[in-house]
Amino acid sequence: MSRGKRYLSFIIEKLKVYIAGLGETIQELQKDIENMNAYYWENYTEMDQYGYENYDNQQALFSQADRNQEYLKKRQRMKRMLDSPFFGSVDFLYDGEEEAETFYIGIGNFAEEVGTIPLIYDWRAPVSGLFYDFDKGAASYEAPAGILQGEILSKRQYKIRGGRMLYEFESDMKIDDDILKFELGTNSDTKLKNIVQTIQKEQNVIIRNTKDKILVIQGAAGSGKTSVALHRIAYLLYHDRENLNSSNVLILSPNGVFSDYISHILPELGEENIREMSFDLFAYQELKGIAADCEDRYHQIERQIAGIKKEAEERFRWKQSEAFVREIEGFLVELEDRLVDFHDVEYRGIQKSAKEILNFFYYKFMNLPLLSRLDAVRDYFIDEWETLYGRELPEEGQEYIWKRFEEMYVTKDIYVIYNWFLKEHGYPALPEAAAEERVLNYEDVYPVLYLKYCLTERKVQKNIRHLVIDEMQDYSYLQYVILERLFTCSMTILGDKAQTVDSVQQDVYTFLPKLYGRKVRRILMNRSYRNTVEIAVYAQKVSGAVKPEYIERHGKEVAEWLCGDRKEMYDRIIKEVRLGAEGYETAAVLTMTEEEAIEAYEYLKSRCRSTSYIDRNSSIFKKGITVTTFYLAKGLEFDQVFITGGEKENPFFRQFKYICATRALHELYVLGTG
């Protein structure tokens, strides 16, 4: 029996004993909770009237329940480790020592007792860097005590499933080639795979980066940038538990399906899940009260693909640009003189003249947003009255003073103020309507949100201590200005300019350093792990982008078919789809427009029950055939991809084909009609 198999048997037994012990502890805690509950309900009526005994009993009960929850989570983690306790090991000889130590690396840490030497080291532990960053020979790692140096005598990799050793081999090369090709060659799933077994050296540098406040990852399609970002979050949570927990992290993801696709990664890595939402949803929530509804980015994409007038396209781009931000700032300076009509305010012996209020507005409270300044003057007035009379201002007095100060504003409706701005710059104003009837076109969503933050007190998201922005190339200059004002935390920003969903590629790094200062560090990930060589070469020719590096994993040639009509095209797809026990898990039919996707879905669904449709409101990625548009497929991957529809003359055509092609793991088919 090999050393790896012996250690696996040893660890499995240790884990079983440990899990059994956790089970006994959980049972004891549950009995304690039941007894405490019974005692509380039998005696709470006799507990002291000031509530101290009542409070102490409640807190003791809550504390015991929290302990029980922690043990339940720990047992769940240990049960997951039973499936695959470790995936690598390193024999390391410290300088000055005569005997090497063996470190086994796994998804989580396992020690029989607190304070004892771990039998398995968490992949995020400092010593695990030996496994990811070095081959045989001289090596070092940074421990709390400093940098420890020595020599790697042996490094081994393992594949364990269901507690059984599938294979093991000595690896004196970095982690790729055989094991990496094996992992990449497996079928796709409806969940993103964690990559702890195959983290590459360049990926590990990003994951373990704690020095740079804002990390911008520019990665080629299939380079694993999203996986790396999520593993980086797991690493940061592991190493800074005192200051960072899952509730302090937010991911801005493109849509609900993508959120579902990545939602399991952190729990698999031993962390609680974190909050995910789209920036469009955030904007919609922030604009309630100004408008009843807002379009999202996908409305604008469909409009652009269908073809909009040149002036409409130019107007959209201007409203997201740096020039727009400058012009808003100039408008706000002039707005001071037209937004307020000052008058005297008097209430039972306290008076402020229009001139005094004007001085407060322009000088004392000049650093407050315009629509917050009179609120500050009003509060100052009320404080002065209450100080003079030594009592609280009556409710009717407060209402009267509030009304008098509110009357000074010509308007506080940001929608109306935005229309003033548009008219002054020669652009069509938004339709006049009551707030409950207003629907903002996408081009106006972020301009109105920005104006709101300029005119009112904005809530800086202090609870968020790390922000992840995915698909960075699809955010405009204006959106980054808003994000910079909302979040002062560290960030991981990732994307691929070649996948910009627009007729023009956007490299946001051209302006990010100007917005965020020298705190920004850019890292390029130019190696693709997703596609076969044949698919990668095809995608690169389509995009004209810099040729990426890729793993030498070969597959079928890309097939290009011309069909007589769309019915023939869909029938051809049905014939080529290979799903089930003998084939793949996932296939995708990707179109340029929503209209094409709906047509394809209705035809395929009538003939294949395993067909599902992803639209902007979807939240689940299913196995089988998925039909969706290219812009909703971003970030996902499929075993087989069928590209259909689109017109070569359309400015989006190249982006459409490139994004679709790079979704394919094993087989790519390009179909057209003529």
Side-chain angles (χ1 to χ4, degrees), residues 82-310:
L82 272 176
D83 180 67
S84 180
F86 55 88
F87 53 80
S89 67
V90 177
D91 292 343
F92 187 64
L93 180 64
Y94 288 100
D95 285 351
E97 298 291 330
E98 295 182 359
E99 193 172 330
E101 287 191 39
T102 301
F103 302 106
Y104 285 86
I105 315 298
I107 202 79
N109 203 70
F110 173 54
E112 289 185 276
E113 294 180 14
V114 176
T116 60
I117 295 173
L119 299 174
I120 305 291
Y121 286 86
D122 192 294
W123 65 277
R124 296 165 290 185
V127 73
S128 301
L130 295 171
F131 179 72
Y132 293 116
D133 293 337
F134 296 95
D135 303 328
K136 275 186 179 180
S140 63
Y141 68 93
E142 189 171 352
I147 296 177
L148 301 179
Q149 297 182 328
E151 180 185 0
I152 293 177
L153 304 182
S154 173
K155 194 170 79 172
R156 300 185 71 81
Q157 295 173 248
Y158 310 92
K159 181 74 170 182
I160 302 169
R161 283 292 178 270
R164 292 177 57 250
M165 182 75 72
L166 301 184
Y167 60 75
E168 62 176 299
F169 60 87
E170 185 149 349
S171 173
D172 57 0
M173 300 291 290
K174 61 182 177 179
I175 311 164
D176 67 19
D177 300 334
D178 295 336
I179 194 165
L180 183 55
K181 287 178 186 177
F182 176 85
E183 292 295 329
L184 296 175
T186 58
N187 290 346
S188 75
D189 198 355
T190 55
K191 300 290 183 184
L192 185 67
K193 298 172 183 174
N194 80 63
I195 59 171
V196 290
Q197 295 188 57
T198 56
I199 291 172
Q200 304 294 284
K201 185 175 181 179
E202 65 273 17
Q203 295 174 330
N204 198 42
V205 170
I206 300 171
I207 290 168
R208 293 172 185 258
N209 181 309
T210 58
K211 296 177 182 178
D212 295 301
K213 183 172 183 182
I214 298 176
L215 201 59
V216 178
I217 305 171
Q218 171 71 50
S223 58
K225 52 190 176 292
T226 300
S227 291
V228 167
L230 292 170
H231 285 67
R232 182 176 188 233
I233 295 303
Y235 182 82
L236 294 175
L237 289 168
Y238 179 83
H239 279 270
D240 194 15
R241 297 219 183 271
E242 289 186 7
N243 301 305
L244 192 69
N245 60 54
S246 57
S247 66
N248 302 136
V249 183
L250 173 66
I251 295 180
L252 292 180
S253 58
N255 54 60
V257 169
F258 185 74
S259 295
D260 174 66
Y261 183 56
I262 65 173
S263 62
H264 65 293
I265 289 288
L266 285 167
E268 275 189 12
L269 298 176
E271 301 295 339
E272 292 182 17
N273 223 331
I274 58 181
R275 191 153 51 106
E276 301 169 45
M277 67 186 304
S278 72
F279 199 23
D280 287 350
L281 177 60
F282 176 86
Y284 165 73
Q285 292 174 345
E286 288 288 285
L287 291 173
K288 285 179 179 177
I290 297 174
D293 203 357
C294 305
E295 286 188 344
D296 59 30
R297 175 74 172 122
Y298 304 126
H299 288 100
Q300 181 67 23
I301 292 170
E302 285 288 336
R303 195 178 292 126
Q304 288 177 290
I305 292 173
I308 58 177
K309 292 181 180 179
K310 184 179 178 182

Side-chain angles (χ1 to χ4, degrees), residues 396-413:
E396 65 272 12
Q398 291 194 33
E399 290 177 2
Y400 172 79
I401 293 169
W402 273 66
K403 183 179 179 183
R404 292 291 288 154
F405 276 95
E406 286 291 301
E407 288 170 349
M408 294 188 206
Y409 283 111
V410 176
T411 182
K412 291 184 78 174
D413 191 333

Side-chain angles (χ1 to χ4, degrees), residues 362-379:
Y362 281 107
Y363 301 107
K364 186 175 181 62
F365 298 115
M366 65 180 294
N367 293 324
L368 293 179
L370 282 176
L371 291 180
S372 299
R373 291 187 197 176
L374 280 182
D375 295 346
V377 181
R378 178 200 65 216
D379 292 342

Side-chain angles (χ1 to χ4, degrees), residues 614-634:
I614 291 178
D615 64 15
R616 68 191 67 182
N617 298 315
S618 299
S619 59
I620 298 176
F621 179 20
K622 301 176 182 177
K623 291 183 179 181
I625 303 172
T626 296
V627 182
T628 191
T629 56
F630 76 103
Y631 53 81
L632 286 171
K634 284 177 63 175

Side-chain angles (χ1 to χ4, degrees), residues 592-616:
M592 180 180 281
T593 68
E594 191 173 43
E595 183 181 354
E596 291 171 334
I598 292 171
E599 178 192 275
Y601 170 69
E602 289 176 346
Y603 187 91
L604 293 169
K605 182 66 176 176
S606 66
R607 287 157 177 77
C608 300
R609 289 197 306 173
S610 62
T611 304
S612 60
Y613 178 57
I614 291 178
D615 64 15
R616 68 191 67 182

Side-chain angles (χ1 to χ4, degrees), residues 6-21:
R6 286 197 304 273
Y7 200 74
L8 176 60
S9 298
F10 167 76
I11 284 294
I12 292 291
E13 289 306 311
K14 291 289 184 183
L15 279 169
K16 286 178 178 177
V17 170
Y18 191 81
I19 291 167

